[in-house]
Amino acid sequence: MSFVLRGHDPVIAAIIGSIDDAVFTVDHAGYVTRWNAVAERITGYPADEVVGRHVGALAGGEDDDYERVLQHAAQAGRLELDREWLRRDGTTFRAAGRITAVRGERGELLGFVAVLRAAGG
């Protein structure tokens, strides 16, 4: 199942802002486009340092490893994951979550939405 993007919706933005999990979006190439306050808190990265960076750099792995993760999520529509992520201070933390492909009205891949919950909260 893929999420279909139908334009900007302030209600959706408010919902995402109220979620107690890290929520972020990446474009079809894997570059971060949005980063919520919970993602900032658990990673130590403010949005202005993350937006525009490749998500692989934040996942504590190689970009090409994360490219495979995104390809799988695109093919399947969504992907459950549990992996190590990198904090700004260089430490890592474990987080489980889901990456969902976002498709336009004509079915074209626009990017991905990730929702992560750090272990222990």
Side-chain angles (χ1 to χ4, degrees), residues 95-114:
R98 173 180 292 162
I99 299 174
T100 303
V102 178
R103 299 204 174 268
E105 291 182 11
R106 293 181 299 279
E108 70 279 15
L109 180 64
L110 300 175
F112 303 88
V113 173

PDB file of all heavy atoms in Angstrom, residues 95-114:
ATOM      1  N   ALA A  95      15.867   2.188  16.458  1.00  0.00           N
ATOM      2  CA  ALA A  95      14.502   2.656  16.209  1.00  0.00           C
ATOM      3  C   ALA A  95      13.801   1.690  15.265  1.00  0.00           C
ATOM      4  O   ALA A  95      14.403   1.179  14.320  1.00  0.00           O
ATOM      5  CB  ALA A  95      14.500   4.054  15.610  1.00  0.00           C
ATOM      6  N   ALA A  96      12.555   1.444  15.561  1.00  0.00           N
ATOM      7  CA  ALA A  96      11.703   0.631  14.696  1.00  0.00           C
ATOM      8  C   ALA A  96      10.681   1.548  14.048  1.00  0.00           C
ATOM      9  O   ALA A  96      10.304   2.566  14.627  1.00  0.00           O
ATOM     10  CB  ALA A  96      10.998  -0.452  15.514  1.00  0.00           C
ATOM     11  N   GLY A  97      10.252   1.189  12.870  1.00  0.00           N
ATOM     12  CA  GLY A  97       9.256   2.017  12.208  1.00  0.00           C
ATOM     13  C   GLY A  97       8.858   1.492  10.855  1.00  0.00           C
ATOM     14  O   GLY A  97       9.043   0.313  10.539  1.00  0.00           O
ATOM     15  N   ARG A  98       8.330   2.404  10.071  1.00  0.00           N
ATOM     16  CA  ARG A  98       7.800   2.065   8.757  1.00  0.00           C
ATOM     17  C   ARG A  98       8.153   3.161   7.774  1.00  0.00           C
ATOM     18  O   ARG A  98       8.073   4.342   8.085  1.00  0.00           O
ATOM     19  CB  ARG A  98       6.291   1.950   8.860  1.00  0.00           C
ATOM     20  CG  ARG A  98       5.593   1.761   7.533  1.00  0.00           C
ATOM     21  CD  ARG A  98       4.117   1.647   7.699  1.00  0.00           C
ATOM     22  NE  ARG A  98       3.835   0.398   8.395  1.00  0.00           N
ATOM     23  CZ  ARG A  98       2.699   0.125   9.008  1.00  0.00           C
ATOM     24  NH1 ARG A  98       1.735   1.023   9.022  1.00  0.00           N
ATOM     25  NH2 ARG A  98       2.505  -1.023   9.598  1.00  0.00           N
ATOM     26  N   ILE A  99       8.536   2.743   6.584  1.00  0.00           N
ATOM     27  CA  ILE A  99       8.745   3.662   5.470  1.00  0.00           C
ATOM     28  C   ILE A  99       7.652   3.368   4.454  1.00  0.00           C
ATOM     29  O   ILE A  99       7.475   2.215   4.034  1.00  0.00           O
ATOM     30  CB  ILE A  99      10.128   3.468   4.821  1.00  0.00           C
ATOM     31  CG1 ILE A  99      11.231   3.749   5.833  1.00  0.00           C
ATOM     32  CG2 ILE A  99      10.276   4.371   3.595  1.00  0.00           C
ATOM     33  CD1 ILE A  99      12.612   3.446   5.316  1.00  0.00           C
ATOM     34  N   THR A 100       6.917   4.390   4.066  1.00  0.00           N
ATOM     35  CA  THR A 100       5.816   4.241   3.124  1.00  0.00           C
ATOM     36  C   THR A 100       6.109   5.050   1.863  1.00  0.00           C
ATOM     37  O   THR A 100       6.492   6.223   1.952  1.00  0.00           O
ATOM     38  CB  THR A 100       4.489   4.729   3.750  1.00  0.00           C
ATOM     39  OG1 THR A 100       4.252   3.998   4.951  1.00  0.00           O
ATOM     40  CG2 THR A 100       3.324   4.542   2.793  1.00  0.00           C
ATOM     41  N   ALA A 101       5.930   4.421   0.721  1.00  0.00           N
ATOM     42  CA  ALA A 101       6.119   5.119  -0.550  1.00  0.00           C
ATOM     43  C   ALA A 101       4.989   6.122  -0.748  1.00  0.00           C
ATOM     44  O   ALA A 101       3.830   5.842  -0.418  1.00  0.00           O
ATOM     45  CB  ALA A 101       6.134   4.120  -1.700  1.00  0.00           C
ATOM     46  N   VAL A 102       5.325   7.288  -1.265  1.00  0.00           N
ATOM     47  CA  VAL A 102       4.341   8.327  -1.576  1.00  0.00           C
ATOM     48  C   VAL A 102       4.273   8.437  -3.090  1.00  0.00           C
ATOM     49  O   VAL A 102       5.292   8.642  -3.758  1.00  0.00           O
ATOM     50  CB  VAL A 102       4.746   9.688  -0.969  1.00  0.00           C
ATOM     51  CG1 VAL A 102       3.739  10.770  -1.356  1.00  0.00           C
ATOM     52  CG2 VAL A 102       4.882   9.589   0.539  1.00  0.00           C
ATOM     53  N   ARG A 103       3.080   8.293  -3.626  1.00  0.00           N
ATOM     54  CA  ARG A 103       2.889   8.325  -5.075  1.00  0.00           C
ATOM     55  C   ARG A 103       1.951   9.453  -5.458  1.00  0.00           C
ATOM     56  O   ARG A 103       1.040   9.796  -4.704  1.00  0.00           O
ATOM     57  CB  ARG A 103       2.345   6.990  -5.560  1.00  0.00           C
ATOM     58  CG  ARG A 103       3.331   5.867  -5.236  1.00  0.00           C
ATOM     59  CD  ARG A 103       3.161   4.681  -6.146  1.00  0.00           C
ATOM     60  NE  ARG A 103       4.211   3.711  -5.881  1.00  0.00           N
ATOM     61  CZ  ARG A 103       5.369   3.652  -6.504  1.00  0.00           C
ATOM     62  NH1 ARG A 103       5.635   4.521  -7.463  1.00  0.00           N
ATOM     63  NH2 ARG A 103       6.266   2.731  -6.214  1.00  0.00           N
ATOM     64  N   GLY A 104       2.189  10.009  -6.627  1.00  0.00           N
ATOM     65  CA  GLY A 104       1.316  11.036  -7.163  1.00  0.00           C
ATOM     66  C   GLY A 104       0.038  10.417  -7.701  1.00  0.00           C
ATOM     67  O   GLY A 104      -0.122   9.193  -7.732  1.00  0.00           O
ATOM     68  N   GLU A 105      -0.857  11.241  -8.126  1.00  0.00           N
ATOM     69  CA  GLU A 105      -2.156  10.768  -8.611  1.00  0.00           C
ATOM     70  C   GLU A 105      -2.028   9.853  -9.826  1.00  0.00           C
ATOM     71  O   GLU A 105      -2.899   9.033 -10.078  1.00  0.00           O
ATOM     72  CB  GLU A 105      -3.067  11.953  -8.908  1.00  0.00           C
ATOM     73  CG  GLU A 105      -3.479  12.674  -7.644  1.00  0.00           C
ATOM     74  CD  GLU A 105      -4.426  13.823  -7.887  1.00  0.00           C
ATOM     75  OE1 GLU A 105      -4.948  13.966  -9.019  1.00  0.00           O
ATOM     76  OE2 GLU A 105      -4.644  14.590  -6.937  1.00  0.00           O
ATOM     77  N   ARG A 106      -0.939   9.970 -10.580  1.00  0.00           N
ATOM     78  CA  ARG A 106      -0.731   9.104 -11.752  1.00  0.00           C
ATOM     79  C   ARG A 106       0.139   7.890 -11.420  1.00  0.00           C
ATOM     80  O   ARG A 106       0.558   7.160 -12.305  1.00  0.00           O
ATOM     81  CB  ARG A 106      -0.119   9.913 -12.891  1.00  0.00           C
ATOM     82  CG  ARG A 106      -1.077  10.982 -13.445  1.00  0.00           C
ATOM     83  CD  ARG A 106      -0.482  11.767 -14.597  1.00  0.00           C
ATOM     84  NE  ARG A 106       0.722  12.505 -14.240  1.00  0.00           N
ATOM     85  CZ  ARG A 106       0.746  13.690 -13.623  1.00  0.00           C
ATOM     86  NH1 ARG A 106      -0.378  14.267 -13.278  1.00  0.00           N
ATOM     87  NH2 ARG A 106       1.883  14.284 -13.366  1.00  0.00           N
ATOM     88  N   GLY A 107       0.440   7.703 -10.128  1.00  0.00           N
ATOM     89  CA  GLY A 107       1.212   6.543  -9.707  1.00  0.00           C
ATOM     90  C   GLY A 107       2.708   6.742  -9.681  1.00  0.00           C
ATOM     91  O   GLY A 107       3.449   5.831  -9.311  1.00  0.00           O
ATOM     92  N   GLU A 108       3.202   7.938 -10.024  1.00  0.00           N
ATOM     93  CA  GLU A 108       4.641   8.187 -10.043  1.00  0.00           C
ATOM     94  C   GLU A 108       5.173   8.298  -8.605  1.00  0.00           C
ATOM     95  O   GLU A 108       4.506   8.830  -7.728  1.00  0.00           O
ATOM     96  CB  GLU A 108       4.971   9.446 -10.845  1.00  0.00           C
ATOM     97  CG  GLU A 108       4.560  10.761 -10.225  1.00  0.00           C
ATOM     98  CD  GLU A 108       3.098  11.165 -10.397  1.00  0.00           C
ATOM     99  OE1 GLU A 108       2.243  10.331 -10.759  1.00  0.00           O
ATOM    100  OE2 GLU A 108       2.800  12.347 -10.153  1.00  0.00           O
ATOM    101  N   LEU A 109       6.361   7.764  -8.378  1.00  0.00           N
ATOM    102  CA  LEU A 109       6.979   7.815  -7.064  1.00  0.00           C
ATOM    103  C   LEU A 109       7.452   9.236  -6.781  1.00  0.00           C
ATOM    104  O   LEU A 109       8.263   9.793  -7.518  1.00  0.00           O
ATOM    105  CB  LEU A 109       8.164   6.846  -6.991  1.00  0.00           C
ATOM    106  CG  LEU A 109       8.895   6.811  -5.651  1.00  0.00           C
ATOM    107  CD1 LEU A 109       7.986   6.297  -4.533  1.00  0.00           C
ATOM    108  CD2 LEU A 109      10.153   5.953  -5.771  1.00  0.00           C
ATOM    109  N   LEU A 110       6.940   9.826  -5.714  1.00  0.00           N
ATOM    110  CA  LEU A 110       7.329  11.172  -5.312  1.00  0.00           C
ATOM    111  C   LEU A 110       8.353  11.154  -4.190  1.00  0.00           C
ATOM    112  O   LEU A 110       9.166  12.060  -4.068  1.00  0.00           O
ATOM    113  CB  LEU A 110       6.101  11.963  -4.860  1.00  0.00           C
ATOM    114  CG  LEU A 110       4.998  12.139  -5.899  1.00  0.00           C
ATOM    115  CD1 LEU A 110       3.800  12.833  -5.273  1.00  0.00           C
ATOM    116  CD2 LEU A 110       5.506  12.889  -7.115  1.00  0.00           C
ATOM    117  N   GLY A 111       8.292  10.136  -3.358  1.00  0.00           N
ATOM    118  CA  GLY A 111       9.199  10.053  -2.222  1.00  0.00           C
ATOM    119  C   GLY A 111       8.674   9.067  -1.202  1.00  0.00           C
ATOM    120  O   GLY A 111       7.943   8.140  -1.529  1.00  0.00           O
ATOM    121  N   PHE A 112       9.043   9.330   0.071  1.00  0.00           N
ATOM    122  CA  PHE A 112       8.714   8.405   1.145  1.00  0.00           C
ATOM    123  C   PHE A 112       8.405   9.171   2.424  1.00  0.00           C
ATOM    124  O   PHE A 112       8.932  10.255   2.646  1.00  0.00           O
ATOM    125  CB  PHE A 112       9.905   7.480   1.429  1.00  0.00           C
ATOM    126  CG  PHE A 112      10.350   6.708   0.225  1.00  0.00           C
ATOM    127  CD1 PHE A 112      11.288   7.245  -0.641  1.00  0.00           C
ATOM    128  CD2 PHE A 112       9.816   5.456  -0.061  1.00  0.00           C
ATOM    129  CE1 PHE A 112      11.703   6.552  -1.767  1.00  0.00           C
ATOM    130  CE2 PHE A 112      10.218   4.763  -1.180  1.00  0.00           C
ATOM    131  CZ  PHE A 112      11.159   5.309  -2.036  1.00  0.00           C
ATOM    132  N   VAL A 113       7.562   8.576   3.262  1.00  0.00           N
ATOM    133  CA  VAL A 113       7.314   9.057   4.604  1.00  0.00           C
ATOM    134  C   VAL A 113       7.831   7.990   5.552  1.00  0.00           C
ATOM    135  O   VAL A 113       7.516   6.812   5.404  1.00  0.00           O
ATOM    136  CB  VAL A 113       5.809   9.288   4.864  1.00  0.00           C
ATOM    137  CG1 VAL A 113       5.566   9.639   6.330  1.00  0.00           C
ATOM    138  CG2 VAL A 113       5.253  10.353   3.956  1.00  0.00           C
ATOM    139  N   ALA A 114       8.626   8.409   6.531  1.00  0.00           N
ATOM    140  CA  ALA A 114       9.146   7.493   7.539  1.00  0.00           C
ATOM    141  C   ALA A 114       8.596   7.898   8.906  1.00  0.00           C
ATOM    142  O   ALA A 114       8.581   9.082   9.242  1.00  0.00           O
ATOM    143  CB  ALA A 114      10.666   7.503   7.562  1.00  0.00           C
TER     144      ALA A 114
END
